[in-house]
Amino acid sequence: MLKKEFTQYPHHTDPYAKHRITDEELDFLYELQKEMNTQHSDMLTYPRIWVIQEPIKNYLDNVETDLRNDPDAVEYLNQIADGADLCIDCINITTPQQLYQTIQSIIKDNSLEEKYQVELINNYKVLIHGKNDIGKTMLWEGSLEKIQKNGLLAIVEWVMGYTYHHAELRYYTKELYQRPGIFFLTYKDGVRYLQKYADKYDKDVKLIETSPMDLFTDCSPEIKKLFDILHTVDFSKKNRKVYISGKITKTEDYQERFDVAARELLAQGYEVVNPAYEGTKLENASYEDYMKLSFQLLNDCDIIYMLKGWETSPGANQEFGYALAKAMEIRFEK
């Protein structure tokens, strides 16, 4: 067999503008990691994703629906079928309200107002009875999921026996089906999705955890590496470096001011670069030497923190301009 050739598509220029990671993005990653690592699990699988599993209906073919005189058939279908859909004029009736409106329409369209009336009780049960013959009362339970001698079959009997409309029961079994193309990194996110789109899914839908190891190990090591990063990288703020910038020249309290800011930033979880301290390591250095060191330190940081009064410092203004040109996050002392 000839080896299949795959077309090599050329790369194009990266169109995305870049920025240094922000606190909000780090918080998102930290909370995501916490949820992924601490959520309940029924399987010892890794990597773990959550997928939607719901039962789908497989309708039984060639099943007689007129079972009024055959209770044994009703019992048999109760054993092999998971449920039955009520169909009137080829339309599935799925809610008590829909059945109530349908029966109302049939009674009106067939000029049967003098013989029958329909009631909706507590938005759950539909009651059809003859005005002159209470003995013909029929009760329908709202779930529509089980065959009932005095429920669904009674509706079929009434529609077929007393109107010109067609009614039948469509029996079905349920099989579990995994929704393709939808997965979640956390169970909580899957629950939010199903709550938002509850009307699109069967009431017995659920989330199951799975680990498509074949995909991750054989086809996409990049995906497994991404999961490793999400699970193990420290996303706390201490990974972000903050450079303190402020007026030093011709001030006597700059060491104290820089130290106070450094302690506050350290308490918030940041790695702090204090040029007032780093500058003490230089001996016989010129102003240009200090500024060269400052830019070296600043280039390795994520955030620049401008102390009050920085506007009157030529050096701090240069650092501010450098940070601006590098699209760094800029903060100001309040």
Side-chain angles (χ1 to χ4, degrees):
M1 180 181 292
L2 294 176
K3 185 177 180 181
K4 187 174 181 179
E5 295 289 338
F6 292 95
T7 303
Q8 296 294 321
Y9 291 97
H11 290 79
H12 57 74
T13 304
D14 186 349
Y16 292 94
K18 305 299 187 297
H19 65 270
R20 290 178 180 264
I21 194 165
T22 66
D23 280 357
E24 291 76 14
E25 291 163 338
L26 276 171
D27 288 341
F28 168 78
L29 291 171
Y30 176 80
E31 292 299 327
L32 173 62
Q33 181 187 82
K34 181 180 178 181
E35 183 67 23
M36 291 175 69
N37 289 349
T38 61
Q39 64 187 346
H40 170 73
S41 172
D42 293 325
M43 297 169 57
L44 298 176
T45 56
Y46 179 83
R48 179 183 301 109
I49 58 176
W50 297 87
V51 296
I52 295 174
Q53 188 180 74
E54 66 174 330
I56 59 172
K57 297 176 180 178
N58 289 324
Y59 290 97
L60 303 174
D61 295 330
N62 303 318
V63 176
E64 278 293 333
T65 61
D66 189 0
L67 306 171
R68 288 165 287 174
N69 300 316
D70 191 354
D72 291 336
V74 173
E75 182 61 30
Y76 172 71
L77 285 170
N78 266 318
Q79 294 174 8
I80 68 169
D82 293 312
D85 282 345
L86 173 63
C87 300
I88 299 179
D89 293 336
C90 298
I91 298 175
N92 272 31
I93 307 299
T94 59
T95 66
Q97 293 80 6
Q98 186 180 0
L99 177 64
Y100 171 70
Q101 294 168 358
T102 301
I103 299 300
Q104 265 192 330
S105 177
I106 288 176
I107 290 174
K108 183 177 180 180
D109 291 346
N110 289 263
S111 301
L112 298 173
E113 292 94 334
E114 293 184 1
K115 292 185 178 181
Y116 302 101
Q117 64 183 31
V118 59
E119 297 178 46
L120 178 62
I121 304 173
N122 297 326
N123 289 323
Y124 178 67
K125 298 176 181 178
V126 174
L127 184 70
I128 306 172
H129 61 81
K131 291 185 177 180
N132 298 320
D133 188 354
I134 301 301
K136 289 188 178 296
T137 296
M138 290 167 287
L139 190 65
W140 173 76
E141 299 290 344
S143 70
L144 273 176
E145 289 196 348
K146 287 296 179 183
I147 308 163
Q148 300 161 30
K149 295 178 183 178
N150 296 319
L152 298 183
L153 289 175
I155 297 296
V156 173
E157 179 183 36
W158 182 82
V159 172
M160 295 293 287
Y162 301 98
T163 78
Y164 295 104
H165 297 260
H166 178 77
E168 65 177 346
L169 297 181
R170 296 183 64 205
Y171 300 97
Y172 58 79
T173 58
K174 286 186 175 182
E175 293 183 6
L176 293 178
Y177 169 76
Q178 185 171 308
R179 284 267 179 164
I182 304 176
F183 73 91
F184 308 93
L185 295 179
T186 68
Y187 182 83
K188 182 188 294 184
D189 190 33
V191 169
R192 283 195 295 259
Y193 176 88
L194 290 177
Q195 288 174 341
K196 182 177 180 181
Y197 299 105
D199 58 325
K200 295 183 178 181
Y201 293 94
D202 186 276
K203 70 179 184 63
D204 293 323
V205 66
K206 62 180 180 179
L207 293 165
I208 62 169
E209 55 183 298
T210 184
S211 180
M213 289 299 295
D214 288 341
L215 170 65
F216 291 153
T217 56
D218 295 340
C219 298
S220 185
E222 291 87 355
I223 293 179
K224 188 175 186 301
K225 181 64 176 177
L226 176 61
F227 270 77
D228 290 340
I229 291 172
L230 288 174
H231 280 287
T232 62
V233 170
D234 185 356
F235 291 116
S236 64
K237 291 187 176 73
K238 67 183 180 182
N239 290 312
R240 306 191 72 203
K241 297 176 72 171
V242 182
Y243 180 92
I244 303 174
S245 178
K247 188 172 184 178
I248 294 179
T249 305
K250 296 182 180 180
T251 61
E252 297 181 356
D253 64 340
Y254 72 89
Q255 286 281 10
E256 181 181 352
R257 289 187 291 107
F258 275 68
D259 287 345
V260 169
R263 287 194 296 271
E264 291 177 351
L265 291 167
L266 284 169
Q268 296 175 37
Y270 296 103
E271 183 179 347
V272 179
V273 176
N274 183 350
Y277 167 74
E278 298 295 335
T280 61
K281 300 177 182 180
L282 297 178
E283 296 182 1
N284 301 319
S286 64
Y287 177 80
E288 287 74 18
D289 293 332
Y290 283 111
M291 291 307 301
K292 183 178 179 180
L293 173 64
S294 297
F295 288 130
Q296 290 174 348
L297 296 171
L298 181 58
N299 186 59
D300 194 38
C301 292
D302 305 292
I303 304 168
I304 187 169
Y305 184 72
M306 311 302 298
L307 298 179
K308 293 178 182 177
W310 69 271
E311 299 92 340
T312 61
S313 167
N317 272 273
Q318 292 181 58
E319 291 169 345
F320 176 80
Y322 182 86
L324 202 62
K326 286 285 191 178
M328 291 178 62
E329 184 176 343
I330 302 174
R331 297 185 185 178
F332 300 91
E333 183 182 24
K334 295 181 181 179

